[in-house]
Amino acid sequence: MYKKFEMELAGRTLRVDVDRVAKQANGAVLMHYGDTTVLCTATASEKPRDGIDFFPLSVEYNERMYAVGKIPGGFNKREGKASENAILTCRVIDRPMRPLFPKDYRNDVTLENLVMSVDQDCSPELTAMLGAAIATSISDIPFDGPISTTQVGLVDGEFVFNPTAAQKAVSDLALTVASTKEKVIMIEAGANEVPEDKMIEAIFAAHEVNQKVIAFIDTIVAECGKEKHAYESCAVPEELFTAIKEIVPPAEMEDAVFTDDKQTREENIRVITEKLEEAFAENEEWLAVLGEAVYQYQKKTVRKMILKDHKRPDGRAIDQIRPLAAEVDLIPRVHGSAMFTRGQTQICTLTTLAPLSEAQKLDGLDEAETTKRYMHHYNFPSYSVGETKPSRGPGRREIGHGALAERALVPVLPSESEFPYAIRTVSETFESNGSTSQASICASSMSLMTAGVPIKAAVAGISAGLVTGETDDDYLVLTDIQGLEDFFGDMDFKVAGTHKGITAIQMDIKIHGLTRAIIEEAIAATKKARTYILDEVMNKAIAQPREEVGTYAPKIMQMQIDPQKIGDVVGQRGKTINAIIEQTGVKIDITDEGAVSICGTDKEKMEEAAKMIHIIVTDYEAGQIFEGKVTSIKEFGAFVEFAPGKEGMVHISKISKERINKVEDVLNIGDVVKVVCMGKDKMGRFSFSMRDVAE
């Protein structure tokens, strides 16, 4: 026996099965949304993990290809490492839930989400977000939930909640909003330059839907919820704080953190920490938590300075942006390059153009996404923050930052028909001290323009922070937060867009949600800052896309052929098209609709390839003149290849106006000759004449 709970959500049935499967987990639900099925579990260790000063939460989103009736591609027919979509889904589940666990909780917690069936009209990601929240809420794990998540689309100017696949395809907005009973706790968005007021309206329309789902979850918790277990608190003892303040008075800590140079501040804190370690050398219990205590002392100091004194650590005004700089074309030979600097945050983005055949192929659960033409990759080496550690490839943070910048720039990219290239931008982090993801958007926008990509408008990004007091009305929104304000503040509200509107949002917070007033103020602050960056910095470095792609970028020539002639161009087993590629050195892509893209760096070779294709697809008529190469000689004549894979025969009597005894007396294999088409002979072969060319 198990318990089943149902509600109608956006016109489809959401069903939650409790006590049906995975009963050894602390909390487990089998989620059904339409025909989408996801198993969501929450488990916690019995004791805290030793030697850590953070909450060890792990979120997994496991995609199984059987969910869409597919066997994984490649040689290994087992699912391997998590896809980019799975990693991004883990992040969007983690971000709204992490703040709702106790701050002094150190037990390992794992939220597992197993996608077992996918209905393309019912998002498995959304189902997992809801399931993770429900599984945790009914478990005995301490959690200040429940929360709910809603997706919003914008179709023909109207909001659509939890859109279907068809609605997503034409939507101008892909917004995800998570809420508690009172406030918005997470926002993630991609948008086609949606105005700020429309975005705010969409956020709170989703918030209203979330309240209905939370009421539904409350009924499940009331009937199935377990009593929350007691846990060993890892909070720093108050007597330690008192002892620290006697050795390092608040004024001394203010002097230590009040600097715009990250390295100077870190050195000041190191000196203070050494002084405290020396003072508490005989108290092992205090030494074990001293790092966390110093961190919290810094946090309280910075928050008090900002909220009460309106003083930021680097001396800036509340709405002031750090010094900005933009530079283009600093890296030679690449197809496009630009660097954007904001204070101690510096990003260089390199652009690479390639034929559409080099677009990324996707093998995932979303049947609507099989390829990706634009790829943005973000790298964060240790030297950018003055540290040393080996590079192990991109982690979840790097993948998340790359996806955010990609989402921000996709709305302004030209269509494939306008610009038939695959595009890759790579953002290299040279320095990091706050919001490198938004700097990468600025650098990438300029880099695309230097590469000659005709983007519709420049895109800039900026981040706003937040420091809150005891009440909802006691807060301060900060423009352009640096690393310290991110670490010690309550919010990182990233917004990217053009002059016209927003293209991407990502909001992370550490408190139990934001009021409408805070969200409206943050969006207004980022709009003001974004406009300044576009007009006063980026536009002065490069005002519009270059008219042509760079010298070292591949050039693409397009032509249209009859789709029924595609087989003629490709040839048997690709023989014809491979011959054209070998002779000219170009790359050729042909779509099922007959659109041909010829890619190369030598214009003459590209034109030669286009001429060959034109000859192949032309319906031959008597009187047409061709130039071809003698490929074989027989007693009765010679065969001439006038296009790759296309041959015609010149009879011995048509070679010359004078009588010849042997073909070899006039022609040799490899000779290039002009011929005129005489039609087809009895065997259906093209019949050519050399002697009648002049006529």
Side-chain angles (χ1 to χ4, degrees):
M1 294 294 293
Y2 64 92
K3 294 176 181 177
K4 180 171 69 175
F5 303 85
E6 291 185 353
M7 75 169 287
E8 286 301 303
L9 182 59
R12 283 146 283 169
T13 300
L14 177 69
R15 192 179 98 215
V16 182
D17 296 345
V18 181
D19 289 333
R20 188 175 189 182
V21 294
K23 295 178 184 178
Q24 294 190 52
N26 295 62
V29 289
L30 190 61
M31 300 291 295
H32 308 268
Y33 190 30
D35 282 342
T36 291
T37 305
V38 183
L39 171 61
C40 303
T41 61
T43 51
S45 61
E46 291 184 3
K47 296 181 180 180
R49 193 197 299 182
D50 291 332
I52 60 169
D53 57 2
F54 61 92
F55 169 45
L57 172 66
S58 299
V59 179
E60 302 297 334
Y61 178 78
N62 297 310
E63 298 173 315
R64 296 290 190 256
M65 298 305 283
Y66 58 67
V68 287
K70 290 164 64 175
I71 294 175
F75 290 101
N76 185 8
K77 295 301 180 181
R78 186 186 181 105
E79 289 85 358
K81 68 176 184 177
S83 69
E84 187 171 294
N85 178 68
I87 290 169
L88 297 176
T89 304
C90 291
R91 284 171 59 86
V92 89
I93 294 171
D94 181 298
R95 296 206 324 264
M97 295 192 64
R98 186 176 290 271
L100 301 179
F101 290 92
K103 286 183 168 49
D104 58 343
Y105 192 51
R106 297 292 180 266
N107 297 44
D108 283 283
V109 173
T110 300
L111 306 180
E112 287 266 4
N113 301 277
L114 176 63
V115 182
M116 307 187 73
S117 173
V118 174
D119 175 346
Q120 297 296 329
D121 287 335
C122 298
S123 164
E125 296 86 357
L126 174 73
T127 309
M129 292 172 209
L130 295 172
I134 298 172
T136 309
S137 295
I138 66 172
S139 75
D140 61 344
I141 302 170
F143 179 68
D144 194 10
I147 63 169
S148 172
T149 306
T150 295
Q151 295 176 334
V152 187
L154 184 62
V155 180
D156 296 329
E158 299 294 328
F159 295 135
V160 179
F161 300 108
N162 300 341
T164 64
Q167 289 168 334
K168 285 179 183 177
V170 295
S171 177
D172 288 319
L173 176 65
L175 170 67
T176 303
V177 178
S179 307
T180 63
K181 289 179 183 177
E182 295 85 19
K183 300 173 183 176
V184 171
I185 196 167
M186 192 277 297
I187 302 170
E188 180 107 358
N192 290 334
E193 299 179 279
V194 170
E196 280 72 10
D197 57 348
K198 195 73 173 177
M199 183 66 76
I200 292 169
E201 187 184 346
I203 290 168
F204 286 93
H207 181 61
E208 288 182 17
V209 175
N210 281 335
Q211 299 315 302
K212 298 174 184 175
V213 180
I214 288 172
F216 169 66
I217 297 173
D218 279 339
T219 63
I220 302 174
V221 175
E223 190 170 337
C224 306
K226 301 174 184 176
E227 182 180 349
K228 300 301 182 184
H229 65 231
Y231 64 93
E232 182 183 329
S233 173
C234 294
V236 177
E238 279 300 322
E239 54 269 28
L240 173 56
F241 279 123
T242 303
I244 288 174
K245 287 180 181 178
E246 290 178 1
I247 299 168
V248 183
E252 185 178 336
M253 181 58 84
E254 284 189 22
D255 290 340
V257 299
F258 200 87
T259 174
D260 63 351
D261 185 75
K262 182 180 176 183
Q263 282 71 29
T264 301
R265 183 169 55 250
E266 289 175 348
E267 176 61 20
N268 293 343
I269 298 301
R270 187 188 66 78
V271 171
I272 286 174
T273 304
E274 286 184 354
K275 185 198 298 189
L276 293 170
E277 286 174 343
E278 188 175 325
F280 305 141
E282 296 182 5
N283 192 328
E284 292 186 7
E285 185 181 338
W286 282 9
L287 284 176
V289 293
L290 183 60
E292 175 67 9
V294 172
Y295 172 86
Q296 290 188 24
Y297 192 11
Q298 287 185 77
K299 183 172 184 175
K300 289 176 181 177
T301 302
V302 170
R303 292 173 68 86
K304 179 258 179 187
M305 288 166 59
I306 293 172
L307 193 60
K308 304 302 180 188
D309 306 331
H310 286 206
K311 289 171 63 178
R312 298 176 72 169
D314 56 6
R316 276 184 293 149
I318 297 303
D319 63 349
Q320 185 180 351
I321 306 173
R322 287 170 291 174
L324 301 166
E327 186 179 348
V328 298
D329 300 325
L330 68 160
I331 307 297
R333 296 236 167 209
V334 297
H335 301 165
S337 67
M339 186 166 71
F340 183 82
T341 306
R342 186 191 336 99
Q344 288 184 301
T345 291
Q346 188 176 63
I347 295 282
C348 180
T349 297
L350 300 309
T351 299
T352 305
L353 305 178
L356 288 170
S357 58
E358 294 194 31
Q360 183 179 4
K361 292 178 175 62
L362 303 177
D363 186 22
L365 302 185
D366 190 342
E367 294 178 354
E369 291 190 0
T370 55
T371 61
K372 188 161 70 169
R373 170 208 182 198
Y374 175 59
M375 299 149 277
H376 184 281
H377 297 145
Y378 166 99
N379 294 317
F380 188 83
S382 58
Y383 64 74
S384 67
V385 288
E387 296 176 356
T388 174
K389 62 180 180 180
S391 175
R392 301 297 186 201
R396 290 188 173 188
R397 179 182 178 276
E398 286 85 348
I399 290 171
H401 279 13
L404 175 59
E406 185 176 291
R407 193 183 312 126
L409 291 160
V410 163
V412 300
L413 292 177
S415 65
E416 287 187 12
S417 59
E418 294 171 304
F419 193 72
Y421 286 88
I423 308 164
R424 181 182 185 236
T425 48
V426 179
S427 289
E428 303 289 359
T429 306
F430 289 168
E431 267 193 279
S432 173
N433 186 8
S435 201
T436 48
S437 65
Q438 300 309 285
S440 76
I441 291 169
C442 299
S444 300
S445 177
M446 295 188 294
S447 181
L448 287 166
M449 289 196 279
T450 65
V453 180
I455 61 175
K456 298 168 188 173
V459 181
I462 193 72
S463 183
L466 176 74
V467 178
T468 57
E470 298 299 322
T471 66
D472 286 348
D473 296 328
D474 187 16
Y475 68 88
L476 207 59
V477 172
L478 310 173
T479 299
D480 177 28
I481 56 172
Q482 58 175 308
L484 190 74
E485 294 165 332
D486 185 6
F487 301 148
F488 298 152
D490 297 319
M491 174 181 80
D492 184 5
F493 199 122
K494 307 180 184 82
V495 184
T498 64
H499 280 301
K500 186 177 175 183
I502 293 170
T503 58
I505 294 179
Q506 187 177 93
M507 185 190 84
D508 299 322
I509 64 172
K510 301 168 189 172
I511 54 177
H512 288 204
L514 302 181
T515 63
R516 182 166 187 145
I518 294 174
I519 291 173
E520 288 179 347
E521 189 172 332
I523 287 180
T526 54
K527 167 70 172 175
K528 179 182 176 183
R530 198 172 76 233
T531 301
Y532 177 82
I533 293 169
L534 287 168
D535 292 341
E536 300 301 324
V537 183
M538 294 170 58
N539 190 53
K540 291 181 178 178
I542 182 166
Q544 58 189 25
R546 304 255 166 86
E547 292 187 2
E548 294 183 355
V549 298
T551 305
Y552 299 102
K555 314 300 184 291
I556 292 182
M557 181 184 293
Q558 290 184 294
M559 59 188 296
Q560 183 67 40
I561 65 172
D562 183 344
Q564 294 185 352
K565 297 291 182 71
I566 293 174
D568 294 340
V569 176
V570 174
Q572 189 175 14
R573 296 180 182 174
K575 180 179 178 182
T576 303
I577 197 168
N578 287 333
I580 299 173
I581 291 169
E582 186 177 340
Q583 288 181 38
T584 60
V586 302
K587 291 183 178 179
I588 301 172
D589 293 325
I590 307 176
T591 69
D592 293 340
E593 292 73 37
V596 180
S597 294
I598 301 168
C599 179
T601 54
D602 187 326
K603 190 175 180 181
E604 289 185 3
K605 292 292 186 182
M606 292 168 65
E607 290 175 346
E608 182 182 343
K611 183 180 177 182
M612 290 179 181
I613 294 172
H614 179 73
I615 290 171
I616 291 170
V617 299
T618 299
D619 291 324
Y620 306 108
E621 297 176 358
Q624 286 181 295
I625 295 177
F626 301 102
E627 188 173 82
K629 184 185 291 186
V630 177
T631 56
S632 65
I633 293 175
K634 309 294 182 185
E635 288 184 8
F636 51 82
F639 285 93
V640 175
E641 185 182 58
F642 60 97
K646 295 286 182 180
E647 288 184 336
M649 202 270 287
V650 183
H651 192 267
I652 190 169
S653 63
K654 300 289 186 180
I655 293 175
S656 173
K657 291 191 176 182
E658 290 79 29
R659 179 179 173 80
I660 59 173
N661 294 318
K662 292 172 65 181
V663 176
E664 290 91 334
D665 293 340
V666 180
L667 296 175
N668 294 305
I669 291 175
D671 286 351
V672 177
V673 296
K674 281 190 176 181
V675 294
V676 60
C677 183
M678 307 298 290
K680 291 187 176 181
D681 59 20
K682 294 178 181 178
M683 298 177 67
R685 298 175 301 194
F686 287 108
S687 178
F688 288 154
S689 170
M690 290 173 56
R691 75 177 191 184
D692 298 314
V693 168
E695 296 178 12

